[in-house]
Amino acid sequence: MLGSMTGAYVAPGALETGALQDDTQPVLFSFTLLAGLIAFAVGLNTRLVLSDADSYWHIAVGRWMLEHRTVPVRDVFSHSVPGIPFTAHEWLSELLMARVHDTVGWQGLQVMAALSFAFVIMYMLRFLFARMEPLHAIALATVCASMIVTHLLARPHVIVWPITVVWTGTLVQAVERRTRPPWWLLAMLLLWTNLHASFTLGLVFAGALALEAFWEAGERDARWHVVRQWAPFLALAALCVLCNPRGVYAITHALSVMRLKATLALVAEWRSADFHHMQPFLVWTIAVLLLAFTGRLRLTLFRAFFVLGLFYLALKHQRYHSLVGLVSPYLLAGPLAAVARAHAGTGGSDVDALDRLFRKLASRAGAVGVGIALLLAVGLAWFSARVNPARPNVIVTPERALAAFNATGALGNVFNTYSYGGYLIYRGVPVFFDGRGDMYGDALMTEASNASELRTDRALQKLLAKYRIGWTLLHPESPAVQLLDFLPEWKRVYGDSVAVVHVRRDLLPAVSPASLPASQDTAQPTHPTKSLVLPATR
């Protein structure tokens, strides 16, 4: 550790009085800008961003809204549940994704995700630098960034990451300074409400921090002062979240999803994490537990429940690992800084000089430095587009398989692997099911899983007959593929390492086999983040 906790970052008693200050002069180039550039470069070059099938159907929904000038209220993309109620609660994100994709292509979505990630890391560092030593702040931000990046996908939740961190950081700062939350946060909440369903968590965060501010105020008069500060803000926040296409039902969406037991068990990102291998969330969990068990980490009662709630969600569903990385540093920054101050030692002149250097680099960057960083970011984006053009992961893009089916001239309903649904919707093909598991419900999701895995007697044949399936698009390792190869009424017309196509023989026109694309063996691709947990995909 570098020196003692002194200098411009946390004045004595700052966390108690809220007298946070930053009296250092701006520097040409800061740790914050450097970290932002590194995060931007990571976002530009990770294949994870375009590895999720949901990106496809979000774009398709956005295109539909642009064409029809309205938000859909019924499903128009599947044949298994035609006309079932479906309101695009993430409509604003989907419009943005469709516009970016149709204007700039996949590279635009990659850049958008990278920019969101870079902003999150930069904002987090500025928040932490105001409360703890730069070296401690950098270490904490690194651990949290490693959790966040695990869910860095071209999907609406990444678009709202900047809103999530600004909302949380600003509310925590209001509690520390014992002030009213700024009114402009309500505009961000209104935007969040129409970008992604996680706005419900934002409302819960505000309520939890308001309770903390009320409880920690102590005396009766001080508590009434907190009520007068926070009550109008919370009331207006509750009104803001009603301003969406679904109204009050958007608030209950998260609860309805949590009730889908079978669906959540089948979709990989909703399953509990596998701790057989070391991962960032496990490291962070062990570190927090160690500090708590040794009595060094002291939290208020409400903040302790807040943090425990986040860890509970992340233990139950691995998709919330990124949420822990996004939110927990703002809740734990003050208490962790107190731990560092209590155990800080003083060093020699060399250590003190290094401390001063770190603190200087942790201050705000000047206008020239910001301009240089922007130019470097543009250069990184251009270089990435030339050297490593963005393209969706082949594992969720059965392009050749769909082309092979189209070449047959056959028509009919498709039974598809879950992770292929997004691409089919993107290509205008009505799907059996896709990433909207909450819309399809447990019954259909279980039925599809049983058919794909042959879990019950004649499950596949019953599904094919019930939904009048004319062709299948399945992962080559699916047990259903092996059965279809032996069913006399079905013919395999294409297969590679991504997907296999079978078509009912009575639907095949008189087509010469030479006119069909040849089956190909391609390199085994990486697996998507979101897929059914079947032997074919996990």
Side-chain angles (χ1 to χ4, degrees):
M1 294 184 183
L2 295 178
S4 60
M5 194 60 177
T6 60
Y9 294 92
V10 181
L15 294 177
E16 289 75 23
T17 64
L20 302 175
Q21 60 182 19
D22 185 2
D23 55 17
T24 54
Q25 295 297 318
V27 294
L28 176 62
F29 210 76
S30 66
F31 279 140
T32 305
L33 289 180
L34 179 60
L37 286 173
I38 293 174
F40 185 61
V42 169
L44 286 177
N45 292 282
T46 176
R47 296 177 61 85
L48 178 65
V49 173
L50 299 178
S51 67
D52 193 275
D54 284 4
S55 301
Y56 277 121
W57 70 257
H58 282 302
I59 293 170
V61 172
R63 285 174 169 174
W64 188 94
M65 288 187 286
L66 289 171
E67 179 182 353
H68 294 85
R69 303 294 178 181
T70 188
V71 176
V73 295
R74 298 281 178 181
D75 174 53
V76 295
F77 301 107
S78 73
H79 66 79
S80 56
V81 288
I84 193 173
F86 166 68
T87 301
H89 53 273
E90 298 163 341
W91 66 276
L92 197 54
S93 291
E94 288 159 347
L95 285 177
L96 178 61
M97 290 179 65
R99 280 295 192 191
V100 170
H101 173 271
D102 293 346
T103 303
V104 192
W106 293 106
Q107 196 71 39
L109 292 177
Q110 184 99 26
V111 169
M112 186 168 66
L115 285 172
S116 179
F117 182 51
F119 178 89
V120 164
I121 301 306
M122 293 172 69
Y123 182 86
M124 182 184 299
L125 276 176
R126 291 311 310 155
F127 185 92
L128 297 177
F129 283 152
R131 288 157 177 80
M132 59 178 62
E133 281 283 357
L135 186 61
H136 303 156
I138 292 171
L140 176 55
T142 300
V143 173
C144 292
S146 64
M147 288 187 282
I148 296 168
V149 78
T150 60
H151 218 59
L152 181 59
L153 305 167
R155 280 171 44 185
H157 70 269
V158 172
I159 295 175
V160 301
W161 277 357
I163 297 178
T164 304
V165 297
V166 172
W167 175 266
T168 306
T170 306
L171 289 178
V172 169
Q173 184 168 278
V175 172
E176 291 176 350
R177 293 179 172 176
R178 300 179 182 180
T179 60
R180 174 189 291 112
W183 297 115
W184 55 262
L185 269 185
L186 296 174
M188 296 192 70
L189 181 61
L190 185 61
L191 189 62
W192 190 357
T193 300
N194 292 280
L195 285 168
H196 190 251
S198 61
F199 72 88
T200 52
L201 290 174
L203 201 59
V204 172
F205 294 169
L209 290 170
L211 286 173
E212 178 184 338
F214 174 81
W215 186 259
E216 293 301 311
E219 297 180 358
R220 180 177 179 180
D221 289 344
R223 287 181 174 177
W224 275 114
H225 180 65
V226 171
V227 171
R228 289 192 294 271
Q229 285 182 322
W230 284 79
F233 178 84
L234 293 177
L236 290 175
L239 292 177
C240 285
V241 299
L242 296 177
C243 300
N244 67 83
R246 296 189 67 189
V248 69
Y249 294 104
I251 302 175
T252 61
H253 174 76
L255 295 177
S256 63
V257 170
M258 292 298 183
R259 287 195 293 266
L260 297 172
K261 302 300 183 182
T263 300
L264 300 188
L266 290 170
V267 180
E269 68 176 5
W270 283 102
R271 290 173 63 91
S272 299
D274 178 6
F275 290 131
H276 288 290
H277 304 284
M278 190 60 66
Q279 51 190 285
F281 173 69
L282 181 58
V283 173
W284 183 227
T285 302
I286 293 173
V288 172
L289 287 175
L290 179 62
L291 290 172
F293 287 158
T294 56
R296 297 182 179 183
L297 185 63
R298 304 297 296 271
L299 302 179
T300 65
L301 178 64
F302 287 101
R303 193 166 299 198
F305 277 115
F306 195 162
V307 172
L308 287 173
L310 287 174
F311 276 77
Y312 167 75
L313 288 175
L315 289 170
K316 188 176 182 181
H317 306 297
Q318 58 185 303
R319 66 175 287 157
Y320 289 118
H321 289 189
S322 60
L323 183 66
V324 172
L326 283 169
V327 175
S328 64
Y330 303 96
L331 301 173
L332 298 176
L336 288 174
V339 172
R341 288 198 302 274
H343 295 83
T346 57
S349 59
D350 291 340
V351 174
D352 291 337
L354 194 56
D355 274 342
R356 288 192 293 272
L357 174 62
F358 268 68
R359 291 180 186 134
K360 183 175 180 62
L361 292 175
S363 58
R364 300 188 313 272
V368 174
V370 173
I372 293 173
L374 289 175
L375 290 175
L376 288 173
V378 172
L380 283 172
W382 178 86
F383 182 77
S384 177
R386 288 300 185 94
V387 176
N388 186 28
R391 58 176 62 90
N393 197 317
V394 66
I395 193 64
V396 296
T397 311
E399 182 177 7
R400 292 172 176 169
L402 180 59
F405 169 73
N406 290 334
T408 67
L411 299 173
N413 295 333
V414 65
F415 176 50
N416 57 278
T417 291
Y418 178 79
S419 57
Y420 301 157
Y423 178 72
L424 292 176
I425 291 176
Y426 176 81
R427 293 294 303 273
V429 178
V431 298
F432 182 85
F433 66 160
D434 57 270
R436 298 169 296 164
D438 55 310
M439 182 191 78
Y440 292 103
D442 277 351
L444 186 137
M445 295 288 286
T446 302
E447 187 178 15
S449 177
N450 290 341
S452 297
E453 287 298 286
L454 309 182
R455 289 196 175 98
T456 59
D457 183 42
R458 296 184 59 82
L460 177 62
Q461 293 94 319
K462 292 176 182 177
L463 181 144
L464 297 175
K466 177 180 177 180
Y467 294 97
R468 297 185 177 90
I469 302 299
W471 64 291
T472 64
L473 181 68
L474 302 173
H475 193 280
E477 295 180 13
S478 171
V481 169
Q482 279 70 51
L483 178 57
L484 288 167
D485 283 337
F486 287 96
L487 292 178
E489 63 270 27
W490 291 86
K491 177 180 176 61
R492 178 193 283 238
V493 299
Y494 182 81
D496 59 23
S497 62
V498 176
V500 175
V501 177
H502 287 85
V503 182
R504 266 178 40 199
R505 292 183 183 273
D506 61 324
L507 297 179
L508 284 170
V511 179
S512 169
S515 66
L516 298 178
S519 295
Q520 302 183 30
D521 291 324
T522 60
Q524 187 64 32
T526 57
H527 293 294
T529 297
K530 185 173 184 180
S531 61
L532 282 183
V533 184
L534 305 175
T537 56
R538 287 298 282 186

